[in-house]
Amino acid sequence: MSGHIAIATCTQLLPDGDVEDATLLRALAELDLKATLVGWSEPDVDWAGFDATVIRSTWDYTTRRAEFLAWTDRVPRLFNPAPVVAANSDKRYLAGLAAAGLPVVRTTFFEPDQPVRLPVTGEYVLKPSIGAGSGGAGRFDAGQPADAQRASAHAAALQAAGRTVLLQPYLAGVDTAGETALMFFNGRYSHAICKSAMLAAGSQYGLGMDQLYVGEVITAREPSAAELELAGAVLAELTAGLPEPLLYARIDLLPAEHGPVLVEAELTEPSLFLDHDEQAARRLAEAISDRIG
């Protein structure tokens, strides 16, 4: 088989891309598919000259989303497709999933011109509705007076940058059980991993693009039946009406009192943890091959 695939990254990561990009490139080469890393914002790229473009480590889009979405509209044979990216790259999609009756972490949104009402009890998380790699996220404790000031300042900084603020309770179960991320390729379950808690007590991250993502501690995980069922239901809801399955999807779940709950459904540029399952990269490469075959 022959073909030429563009693997879309951001210019900060060129020429080598993210570590996971290299893993995917090797898997594609094993299938006799040529692949080239290309910065999504590079000028004068002939995107129509590729058999397909796969969005991967385009993590700088969060500060220039309008430009990014305009790019997705111009690129033919894009995976995942532009309408999906437009809907998924703002976490306000969580409200729709909750309205559909799916168990979602309780989430409140505050637009840039709205006052942010902070909780008076418990721990909570503030982050931008458009973000990646924990950028702009912070964990706060309503029982700590100093945290109220920090949280107010954090929310104000997000809003001053034109961001919608997302407020969620901090689910303490993640500190012991971790977060489960389930990967799907062409609509089929591939593998899962466990992410240790990302936000230590009192931690918060800025919006600067000098750091594209926050480091994670990752281990392989066998998901529970309840996690598999919920992930499948979330993916089914998000893809209802689409002409074909998504090339890739990552469904992130947190442990809660009455079972797993959705914290994010990542369909735009998620890390897929290809190095944590020995067949994962091959599965993704075959999924890409199926799309251009």
Side-chain angles (χ1 to χ4, degrees):
M1 176 178 288
S2 62
H4 193 183
I5 314 300
I7 304 299
T9 183
C10 53
T11 55
Q12 294 97 314
L13 292 175
L14 291 174
D16 300 320
D18 180 62
V19 171
E20 191 169 283
D21 294 332
T23 301
L24 177 57
L25 290 172
R26 289 193 296 271
L28 289 168
E30 290 173 0
L31 296 181
D32 196 27
L33 288 169
K34 180 182 178 182
T36 302
L37 281 167
V38 186
W40 71 268
S41 59
E42 287 189 79
D44 304 321
V45 175
D46 178 18
W47 297 101
F50 294 99
D51 293 281
T53 296
V54 179
I55 301 174
R56 294 309 309 126
S57 47
T58 57
W59 299 320
D60 62 343
Y61 83 91
T62 59
T63 59
R64 49 204 295 204
R65 180 170 175 260
E67 180 185 350
F68 181 69
L69 294 183
W71 169 76
T72 66
D73 284 335
R74 295 195 303 270
V75 178
R77 299 183 296 280
L78 180 69
F79 301 106
N80 283 328
V84 171
V85 171
N88 182 252
S89 53
D90 188 322
K91 294 178 181 61
R92 281 179 282 198
Y93 69 80
L94 291 170
L97 293 173
L102 292 163
V104 177
V105 177
R106 187 175 73 254
T107 306
T108 306
F109 298 93
F110 301 96
E111 301 301 326
D113 60 348
Q114 290 181 310
V116 176
R117 300 185 302 275
L118 298 176
V120 295
T121 61
E123 288 191 278
Y124 56 93
V125 173
L126 296 173
K127 56 186 175 183
S129 69
I130 299 170
S134 293
R139 173 181 168 184
F140 307 94
D141 186 345
Q144 301 294 325
D147 268 21
Q149 295 180 348
R150 288 197 310 111
S152 293
H154 189 73
L158 292 176
Q159 292 182 311
R163 303 300 190 93
T164 295
V165 175
L166 179 157
L167 167 67
Q168 295 174 326
Y170 185 81
L171 301 184
V174 71
D175 291 333
T176 53
E179 177 180 329
T180 301
L182 298 91
M183 269 56 68
F184 294 80
F185 302 147
N186 272 351
R188 296 186 294 271
Y189 170 72
S190 171
H191 62 291
I193 57 90
C194 173
K195 292 195 288 183
S196 63
M198 295 287 295
L199 292 172
S203 63
Q204 61 189 96
Y205 301 106
L207 288 169
M209 295 311 299
D210 54 324
Q211 184 176 356
L212 288 171
Y213 57 89
V214 177
E216 302 168 320
V217 178
I218 305 297
T219 55
R221 166 165 282 181
E222 189 68 28
S224 68
E227 289 172 330
L228 279 167
E229 181 179 5
L230 175 54
V234 169
L235 190 57
E237 178 67 25
L238 288 168
T239 58
L242 293 182
E244 60 183 354
L246 296 176
L247 175 63
Y248 55 80
R250 193 183 96 198
I251 309 299
D252 294 348
L253 307 178
L254 291 177
E257 182 179 359
H258 300 295
V261 293
L262 177 73
V263 63
E264 286 192 41
E266 303 222 31
L267 314 179
T268 300
E269 36 55 53
S271 294
L272 296 168
F273 306 106
L274 301 179
D275 292 320
H276 291 270
D277 181 290
E278 60 181 15
Q279 293 300 317
R282 176 80 179 196
R283 291 187 203 107
L284 179 55
E286 289 175 346
I288 295 171
S289 177
D290 289 344
R291 296 303 176 102
I292 67 169

